[in-house]
Amino acid sequence: MKADHIAVALVHYPILNRLGDTSTTSVTPMDVHDFARTCSFYGIDRVYLVHPAKGMQAMVHELTGYWQTGEGGMRNAGRKQVLQSICVVDSLEDAQKEGDYQLWLTSAVVESDRVIEPSDLIKLAGNHLIVFGTGWGLDEKKLPSANGWLSPIVGIGKVRHLSVRAALAIYLDRLGMV
């Protein structure tokens, strides 16, 4: 399977907060840039930023616009090209419809019998959307039905999970497309 059959989503709602309640997180410019750059490195052409708030969406459009149509793009053509992969949507359902994607969720802890290794994902037919959560993880109960989970990244250190940017890079590397 080629990378053009795989897309990535970074979900800011619905996610869990530290108390386990449904919440929303803010979009951070670092995530926008790093997700676009990492996906570009691995040949992923579509990065969905999922956030229902119009203000957050406007901030992303302003940020990417600076690089795509503004002064930033004239100074750094590479960043202009990389940020073309960003697509802001209200919900994960909107992203799913756009590419008729099969959803694959990610988490530091998975309690499901529908878990596959990332390297197995590229062997499956169809379009695939790898879904990452912010905050304390995805609120699976409020998401559309997923095909399953990618196996969690297990560490041996003192922290429970990686930053979402680090997890993205590891998962894409484990797809084995490069």
Side-chain angles (χ1 to χ4, degrees):
M1 171 177 287
K2 294 194 270 185
D4 62 355
H5 294 291
I6 296 177
V8 168
L10 180 59
V11 175
H12 296 84
Y13 175 86
I15 57 92
L16 300 172
N17 65 19
R18 72 181 76 182
L19 302 174
D21 299 323
T22 303
S23 190
T24 305
T25 57
S26 298
V27 175
T28 63
M30 181 171 26
D31 286 345
V32 176
H33 286 281
D34 285 356
F35 260 63
R37 184 179 181 135
T38 301
C39 285
S40 180
F41 181 82
Y42 286 98
I44 306 294
D45 292 330
R46 182 62 80 187
V47 178
Y48 294 96
L49 296 179
V50 180
H51 204 296
K54 298 305 178 199
M56 282 283 115
Q57 293 179 9
M59 186 268 298
V60 173
H61 290 302
E62 184 176 336
L63 174 72
T64 57
Y66 172 77
W67 295 101
Q68 292 186 6
T69 60
E71 185 180 318
M74 293 185 290
R75 287 187 293 150
N76 189 333
R79 184 161 296 179
K80 176 180 180 176
Q81 182 181 12
V82 163
L83 288 172
Q84 290 174 347
S85 66
I86 298 293
C87 180
V88 180
V89 294
D90 291 331
S91 68
L92 191 55
E93 291 89 345
D94 290 343
Q96 186 179 21
K97 288 179 208 168
E98 186 175 300
D100 191 29
Y101 295 110
Q102 298 175 41
L103 297 182
W104 298 94
L105 307 179
T106 62
S107 176
V109 178
V110 175
E111 296 176 10
S112 172
D113 59 351
R114 298 176 301 136
V115 178
I116 68 167
E117 293 299 320
S119 58
D120 293 333
L121 179 64
I122 63 170
K123 299 171 188 171
L124 300 176
N127 294 329
H128 303 281
L129 183 61
I130 302 173
V131 182
F132 294 85
T134 55
W136 289 75
L138 297 165
D139 186 347
E140 182 185 12
K141 294 175 186 161
K142 296 199 176 191
L143 291 173
S145 180
N147 291 72
W149 296 82
L150 295 186
S151 60
I153 300 166
V154 179
I156 58 171
K158 296 176 182 168
V159 296
R160 180 173 87 61
H161 66 279
L162 296 165
S163 72
V164 71
R165 294 170 307 283
L168 169 72
I170 291 170
Y171 275 117
L172 293 184
D173 196 68
R174 288 181 178 177
L175 289 175
M177 295 183 304
V178 178

